[in-house]
Amino acid sequence: MKNLPTALLLAVLIACIATLVRSDASDHRYNEGDAVPLYANKVGPFHNPSETYRYFDLPFCSAGDVKEKREALGEVLNGDRLVSAPYNLEFRKDKDSEVACRTMLTKEEVVQFRTAVKKDYYFQMYYDDLPIWGFLGKVDKEGKTDPREYKYFLYKHIQFDARYNKDRVIEITAKMDPHSVVDLTEDKDVDADFMYSVKWSDTNIPFENRMDKYSQSSSLPHHLEIHWFSIINSCVTVLLLTGFLATILMRVLKNDFMKYAQDEEAADDQEETGWKYIHGDVFRFPQHKSLFAAAHGSGTQLFTLTIFIFMLALVGVFYPYNRGALFTALVVIYALTSGIAGYTATSFYCQLEGKNWVRNLLLTGCLFCGPLFLTFCFLNTVAIAYSATAALPFGTIVVIVLIWTLVTSPLLVLGGIAGKNSKAEFQAPVRTTKYPREIPPLPWYRTTIPQMAMAGFLPFSAIYIELYYIFASVWGHRIYTIYSILFIVFIILLIVTAFITVALTYFQLAAEDHGWWWRSFLCGGSTGLFIYGYCLYYYYARSDMTGFMQTSFFFGYMACICYGFFLMLGTVGFRAALLFVRHIYKSIKCE
């Protein structure tokens, strides 16, 4: 009953955030002949998901005034720029070869379209909030070996197939007529009549299930089999690892406890060895305690952020094509959880007998946001140079700055003040001596870098199969909807990270090396470095991304994501090691 108010507050917070990030999914009812909104969103190279442009950046003709749709914060962050499309699709009204607009393409416009066709450009539209895709044109390579002999064609006729259930739109697809094209091969003026056809048909699919086909396309049988195989593989890895570590550690610790108990009954001048020998140094506070506390606070905030995102995903907020919902959730939840970072960092810093808690609070606020802000500034400048939709408008940047100024920073300061006033003391079961013991020389494989490699490889091996599907969704056009599997993988990742960090911490202490604080954090977070290494493999072996903009966006933002994983998993590893170290030193008698 004591935790009931906290649980209720958490439930209310989740409901509020879910309401905020859920897009205004169209639930309009139409009569026959009513105008249904059709918006053109963006165009871009199919293999470069970050490099997208406004629809009318290409010289498409328009039937009238182009009106922009007002968009939410998450939609703008997602690069969506919706404008009224030149096609008029009235509800349940068939059309055959209707002319949308006529235009004369100049030589420059022909070159522009031909370049887009060469780069495999696609377009995206939304009809009653249902997505539509299509390619702009095709390249005729049949029987030709020399690229200079290729022919380039622009599609000028779109065939829309729409389905309805009573007075609602249920489904829509677009097909390009391969016989109605404009030849773009030569640099000359050409006439282009952009046409469209619409065919309506009835369906029994209820309105509530109209997004199911997008979910089903992401979870085809062979995909599910691979997903479950990866889960089983990860579970077996976790069971073997945890069973092995638990057996070894319990047996070794049992022998240690028995040995140290016998030593206490033996002569007082008997020399201590192993991890008991350094009991006076194991709880000696680490160097750079302000940075350590800031990393701990930032990692705790990112862990809380991840848990909230999973909660929203599991309750169905991030359904397919809920435009910008994930970005809105990330911005809002990160702002609201900044108080957790401030409280955790300042409270822990004060426990470590730190004095300048204000500087520690500033460091906490900048530790993750600082690199993210610098990366954003560089990448946004690149997007502006490319005139891409990834470049944020000035108004959106002002909104984000206001959120940081009016929400994130005050909550961070309030959390820091609460942490400073918590008066919590560091719980150490043994006393720390005045002077530190010298750490004996250690073999190379017990140094920090090899230990980080060992600690990061096992957690990464448990998640690398699932990483491909996540990357194909974030940096491709696949849809990821099986969040339950992803949550299981995340739990497995946490368990393996905690266990491997505990095991390496024990071996480090047994070698009489008492500098375990930073080592446990670095070992726990090293999985983030392996994920970034996977980015290199994915970019060169599994994707077709090209160009400076796409490359910089991929490696820039993935560096920020992997850095966040480093902080989060480092915090998990350190916390697990701290619990373990407190437990073993509480179980023996030390003078």
Side-chain angles (χ1 to χ4, degrees), residues 114-420:
R114 185 170 65 235
T115 303
V117 173
K118 279 183 181 179
K119 294 182 178 180
D120 212 15
Y121 267 48
Y122 73 100
F123 67 84
Q124 184 187 53
M125 297 182 180
Y126 282 95
Y127 184 66
D128 198 48
D129 278 341
L130 291 172
I132 309 171
W133 309 270
F135 286 96
L136 296 187
K138 64 178 180 178
V139 182
D140 182 12
K141 303 179 182 179
E142 187 175 353
K144 304 176 182 67
T145 56
D146 189 349
R148 290 175 296 183
E149 298 178 355
Y150 292 169
K151 289 186 175 295
Y152 302 92
F153 299 98
L154 174 69
Y155 295 128
K156 63 177 184 178
H157 190 176
I158 304 180
Q159 300 173 341
F160 294 100
D161 291 320
R163 305 178 74 184
Y164 66 93
N165 186 348
K166 297 179 182 178
D167 54 359
R168 288 169 165 176
V169 180
I170 302 299
E171 184 180 336
I172 187 168
T173 57
K175 297 178 182 178
M176 314 307 292
D177 187 351
H179 304 294
S180 181
V181 294
V182 178
D183 192 342
L184 304 174
T185 307
E186 298 180 8
D187 295 345
K188 62 179 183 179
D189 297 350
V190 294
D191 290 322
D193 297 341
F194 289 95
M195 300 181 295
Y196 65 105
S197 301
V198 188
K199 184 177 181 181
W200 288 88
S201 59
D202 195 5
T203 180
N204 294 324
I205 298 175
F207 177 82
E208 294 75 16
N209 299 337
R210 70 175 188 163
M211 288 291 182
D212 287 356
K213 78 166 190 173
Y214 305 108
S215 303
Q216 292 167 1
S217 65
S218 68
S219 56
L220 296 174
H222 63 278
H223 288 167
L224 273 178
E225 289 176 7
I226 296 174
H227 270 81
W228 283 115
F229 172 78
S230 68
I231 290 295
I232 294 172
N233 173 60
S234 300
C235 287
V236 170
T237 303
V238 170
L239 289 175
L240 290 176
L241 176 66
T242 54
F244 173 76
L245 290 178
T247 302
I248 296 298
L249 285 178
M250 288 176 64
R251 182 172 296 179
V252 172
L253 284 173
K254 184 178 179 181
N255 292 337
D256 287 348
F257 291 149
M258 292 176 61
K259 175 177 177 296
Y260 293 147
Q262 292 172 359
D263 290 347
E264 291 169 5
E265 297 173 359
D268 293 337
D269 59 350
Q270 186 171 353
E271 185 178 357
E272 294 179 338
T273 58
W275 53 268
K276 183 182 178 184
Y277 176 68
I278 57 172
H279 66 84
D281 297 281
V282 72
F283 290 106
R284 190 179 303 281
F285 298 146
Q287 293 182 329
H288 313 295
K289 61 180 70 174
S290 181
L291 178 61
F292 190 85
H296 181 237
S298 296
T300 304
Q301 179 187 8
L302 293 172
F303 178 77
T304 307
L305 168 67
T306 306
I307 295 298
F308 270 103
I309 291 295
F310 271 116
M311 288 181 179
L312 292 175
L314 293 174
V315 299
V317 171
F318 304 130
Y319 55 84
Y321 298 104
N322 184 1
R323 297 190 305 276
L326 179 59
F327 289 102
T328 304
L330 288 172
V331 171
V332 172
I333 297 175
Y334 185 85
L336 295 178
T337 54
S338 59
I340 295 175
Y343 177 84
T344 305
T346 306
S347 175
F348 193 67
Y349 180 67
C350 292
Q351 290 180 37
L352 299 182
E353 299 177 357
K355 303 301 181 184
N356 195 343
W357 67 275
V358 176
R359 186 183 65 180
N360 173 253
L361 198 60
L362 292 174
L363 183 60
T364 304
C366 297
L367 193 62
F368 179 73
C369 284
L372 180 63
F373 175 73
L374 293 177
T375 303
F376 163 76
C377 289
F378 171 72
L379 296 180
N380 201 59
T381 303
V382 172
I384 292 173
Y386 274 73
S387 300
T389 61
L392 294 189
F394 178 74
T396 303
I397 297 176
V398 170
V399 169
I400 294 176
V401 170
L402 288 176
I403 291 174
W404 169 263
T405 306
L406 302 178
V407 180
T408 305
S409 298
L411 288 177
L412 181 72
V413 173
L414 290 175
I417 294 173
K420 176 183 177 294

Side-chain angles (χ1 to χ4, degrees), residues 85-103:
Y87 308 106
N88 183 19
L89 276 61
E90 297 166 333
F91 187 67
R92 294 178 57 181
K93 189 173 181 180
D94 292 348
K95 293 184 179 181
D96 185 24
S97 299
E98 187 90 5
V99 177
C101 58
R102 291 186 171 92
T103 184

